[in-house]
Amino acid sequence: MLNKSVSNVVSVSPNSEADENLENVVGLSASVLLSVVERGILARNQVNSLMPITTLGYWVWANMVGSIREALIPLGWKSILEHGLEKVVSSERMIAIVCKSAVQGVGDLECKLKTRGGSGPVVKQLADDNLTIQLPLLDDGLIEFQLDEHLDENPIEIWMLIYQIDKENNEVRAELAKPIGYDVHDSLDEWEKRFIIGSISFDDLPDDLSFEGFEQTDEIEIEVERKVNGE
């Protein structure tokens, strides 16, 4: 478990200085990122009650991954599956974005942000790596490299598009945050920076969209080990 006090939480409003700072980091505004979350939520209509209970949570996550790639790949980002982790990566900005669900704290300045547990060693390593990376986030001084040739030699900052479906308050909330620590249950819970990008009320979504019986589930992490000497 890593311990570090993080208080750099910014609530982003449209066309604000915080929104401009967010665009400097990922090249997208809060409204665009929130539309990615909304498209994921709308995937609810593709799931029915006959499917396994975990289907809805996985399908929402998968559609968010597809939506953010659709938004970023035309801007020069690349879609990468690395050690079972789905990422979209910018070699120009030297950052990657991963979509992840949370169990608490999204959009709440007073509550500790915590992702769903069981992230596994790959996600925990990303948090550890973020602690040691010192790379520029703004437009000046960025280092360019060929991603395919130097992915291992040039560490990439990992940011997470985090969402929480809150059935009690009838909404989904989202943030873009940079993880730097985790708890004993493998939940990411320490953050160097958090951009609160907003919420979507269920009232603004189609009337037939229901989250009754929803179980929040996202990616399935698969560890891949290379065999040595045929073993």
Side-chain angles (χ1 to χ4, degrees), residues 187-215:
S187 294
L188 296 168
D189 67 347
E190 297 290 346
W191 312 89
E192 181 177 310
K193 182 110 177 176
R194 292 170 54 190
F195 289 101
I196 297 176
I197 61 177
S199 63
I200 302 169
S201 171
F202 291 169
D203 295 335
D204 297 329
L205 298 174
D207 293 338
D208 60 347
L209 196 70
S210 170
F211 285 90
E212 187 68 27
F214 174 82
E215 180 173 327

Side-chain angles (χ1 to χ4, degrees), residues 16 55 82 124 133 136 148 156 201 206 217 220:
S16 64
T55 302
E82 187 178 30
K124 291 193 296 183
I133 296 172
D148 294 338
I156 302 291
S201 171
T217 306
I220 300 172

